[in-house]
Amino acid sequence: MSDRSGIFAGDDPFAIARSWLETARIEEPNDPDAIALATVDRDGMPNARMVLLKEIEADSFVFYTNYNSTKAQELDSAGKAAFVMHWKSLRRQIRVRGTIGREDGPAADEYYASRSLKSRLGAWASRQSQPLASRTALMAKVARVTARLGANPPRPPFWGGYRVVPLEIEFWADGAFRLHDRFVWRRAKSGKTWQIQRLSP
């Protein structure tokens, strides 16, 4: 593809994504790791929320959450998800669609241990997405968890990661006169060869 050069150049879409993210971490003033994650419930009703992407691996994108949350229930039910990363300062975005798998092993333990103590205790205290009587009730639960688990709480069994293994990745960059540059990478399943196309803006 002769015209795929500059910020779009390369044979590995994950390397391109990592490069764009590193640039965003330098230039984007707020939450360069934020993604808008889209899921569907069992009735096909869509849902979306912002989460933080924690890693771009060799063949997947990883984030972490409470497995009892609404998002986790929808991820587990559908086995598929989509997300978009948008950097307003760079006028770029990456759109991803793919299948879902859990990260519930050593990588999840390592990431959980790297979080601040307050965040680790908060993960234990929050029944994410469930009704809450008041903020006072939540803070009281945090205090009880702190007293019980101390300064080195283990990773909760209901908290861990998800991998999005993409079947489609689209790289988009703003162009003059709204003539944007778009390239989409598609494959039939993980491990298969990517097919790359330029898309009309």
Side-chain angles (χ1 to χ4, degrees):
M1 187 150 313
S2 60
D3 62 344
R4 192 167 54 81
S5 58
I7 61 173
F8 296 97
D11 297 323
D12 179 358
F14 300 97
I16 298 171
R18 280 191 290 271
S19 175
W20 284 29
L21 180 55
E22 286 306 311
T23 300
R25 285 172 174 160
I26 296 168
E27 299 192 26
E28 183 70 28
N30 294 304
D31 295 326
D33 302 289
I35 63 176
L37 176 69
T39 57
V40 294
D41 67 16
R42 292 180 185 276
D43 296 323
M45 178 67 74
N47 216 338
R49 78 289 285 160
M50 304 303 295
V51 301
L52 293 180
L53 183 71
K54 287 304 174 185
E55 190 172 0
I56 301 176
E57 296 184 332
D59 199 46
S60 62
F61 299 82
V62 183
F63 62 92
Y64 290 85
T65 191
N66 185 314
Y67 287 145
N68 295 326
S69 66
T70 298
K71 80 173 79 65
Q73 292 172 23
E74 292 174 352
L75 290 167
D76 290 338
S77 173
K80 301 171 186 174
F83 71 80
V84 61
M85 304 184 79
H86 174 249
W87 301 292
K88 187 174 182 179
S89 62
L90 296 174
R91 297 184 177 183
R92 297 182 200 171
Q93 69 179 21
I94 300 175
R95 296 174 59 228
V96 174
R97 299 197 302 161
T99 59
I100 288 291
R102 283 192 179 189
E103 169 47 69
D104 200 27
D109 292 335
E110 182 179 351
Y111 171 61
Y112 179 79
S114 75
R115 303 176 86 210
S116 71
L117 177 59
K118 289 182 179 180
S119 292
R120 283 179 281 156
L121 292 168
W124 275 99
S126 175
R127 297 178 65 228
Q128 195 173 101
S129 304
Q130 299 303 308
L132 178 64
S134 66
R135 182 157 186 89
T136 300
L138 176 61
M139 299 313 294
K141 189 170 182 183
V142 171
R144 292 194 298 272
V145 166
T146 302
R148 180 165 57 90
L149 298 177
N152 191 26
R155 178 171 63 90
F158 52 81
W159 190 97
Y162 283 97
R163 284 188 175 87
V164 181
V165 180
L167 301 179
E168 182 176 302
I169 307 176
E170 181 189 319
F171 297 92
W172 179 101
D174 185 61
F177 309 109
R178 298 193 62 80
L179 300 178
H180 313 306
D181 288 308
R182 298 173 63 188
F183 289 93
V184 62
W185 301 59
R186 293 189 179 101
R187 59 184 178 179
K189 62 181 180 179
S190 177
K192 292 296 186 180
T193 301
W194 290 102
Q195 302 297 317
I196 310 168
Q197 287 183 313
R198 177 185 273 277
L199 300 179
S200 298

